Amino acid sequence: MLGAARTMASSLGGGAARQSLALAILVYFGVIGVLGGYLLTRLFLQWAFATAGWQDADRL
Protein backbone atom coordinates (compact mmCIF):
# COMPACT_ATOMS: atom_id res chain seq x y z
CA MET A 1 0.00 0.00 0.00
CA LEU A 2 2.92 2.32 0.61
CA GLY A 3 4.05 1.85 -2.96
CA ALA A 4 0.63 2.93 -4.20
CA ALA A 5 0.75 5.93 -1.85
CA ARG A 6 4.16 6.94 -3.23
CA THR A 7 2.92 6.67 -6.81
CA MET A 8 -0.20 8.63 -6.00
CA ALA A 9 1.80 11.26 -4.09
CA SER A 10 3.93 11.94 -7.14
CA SER A 11 0.80 12.85 -9.10
CA LEU A 12 -0.27 15.17 -6.25
CA GLY A 13 2.98 17.10 -6.40
CA GLY A 14 5.37 14.93 -4.36
CA GLY A 15 6.71 15.36 -0.86
CA ALA A 16 6.15 13.67 2.48
CA ALA A 17 2.94 15.55 3.23
CA ARG A 18 1.46 14.49 -0.11
CA GLN A 19 2.42 10.87 0.60
CA SER A 20 0.55 11.02 3.91
CA LEU A 21 -2.45 12.52 2.15
CA ALA A 22 -2.34 9.84 -0.53
CA LEU A 23 -2.16 7.08 2.10
CA ALA A 24 -5.09 8.61 4.00
CA ILE A 25 -7.14 8.77 0.79
CA LEU A 26 -6.37 5.13 0.00
CA VAL A 27 -7.29 3.95 3.50
CA TYR A 28 -10.45 6.08 3.65
CA PHE A 29 -11.85 4.93 0.34
CA GLY A 30 -10.82 1.33 1.03
CA VAL A 31 -12.79 1.30 4.28
CA ILE A 32 -15.76 3.13 2.75
CA GLY A 33 -15.76 0.70 -0.17
CA VAL A 34 -15.81 -2.36 2.07
CA LEU A 35 -18.53 -0.96 4.33
CA GLY A 36 -20.62 0.24 1.40
CA GLY A 37 -20.28 -3.09 -0.37
CA TYR A 38 -21.29 -4.94 2.78
CA LEU A 39 -24.30 -2.69 3.35
CA LEU A 40 -25.57 -2.95 -0.22
CA THR A 41 -25.05 -6.71 -0.27
CA ARG A 42 -26.78 -7.10 3.09
CA LEU A 43 -29.77 -5.04 1.98
CA PHE A 44 -30.06 -6.79 -1.37
CA LEU A 45 -29.74 -10.29 0.07
CA GLN A 46 -32.28 -9.57 2.79
CA TRP A 47 -34.74 -8.44 0.13
CA ALA A 48 -33.94 -11.41 -2.10
CA PHE A 49 -34.41 -13.94 0.71
CA ALA A 50 -37.66 -12.30 1.81
CA THR A 51 -38.93 -12.35 -1.77
CA ALA A 52 -37.95 -15.99 -2.19
CA GLY A 53 -39.72 -16.91 1.04
CA TRP A 54 -36.61 -18.16 2.86
CA GLN A 55 -37.25 -16.12 6.00
CA ASP A 56 -39.09 -19.03 7.69
CA ALA A 57 -36.79 -21.74 9.04
CA ASP A 58 -39.76 -24.17 9.17
CA ARG A 59 -39.88 -24.37 5.38
CA LEU A 60 -36.35 -25.76 5.15
Side-chain angles (χ1 to χ4, degrees):
M1 183 169 293
L2 290 176
R6 282 189 207 110
T7 303
M8 191 172 159
S10 66
S11 67
L12 294 173
R18 304 290 181 174
Q19 186 173 349
S20 298
L21 176 64
L23 184 59
I25 290 170
L26 289 171
V27 169
Y28 174 78
F29 281 106
V31 170
I32 292 298
V34 168
L35 290 176
Y38 169 76
L39 180 63
L40 290 174
T41 301
R42 177 75 174 145
L43 291 172
F44 173 75
L45 285 178
Q46 183 177 1
W47 174 81
F49 288 155
T51 303
W54 289 16
Q55 69 270 19
D56 295 335
D58 297 334
R59 293 185 186 181
L60 297 176

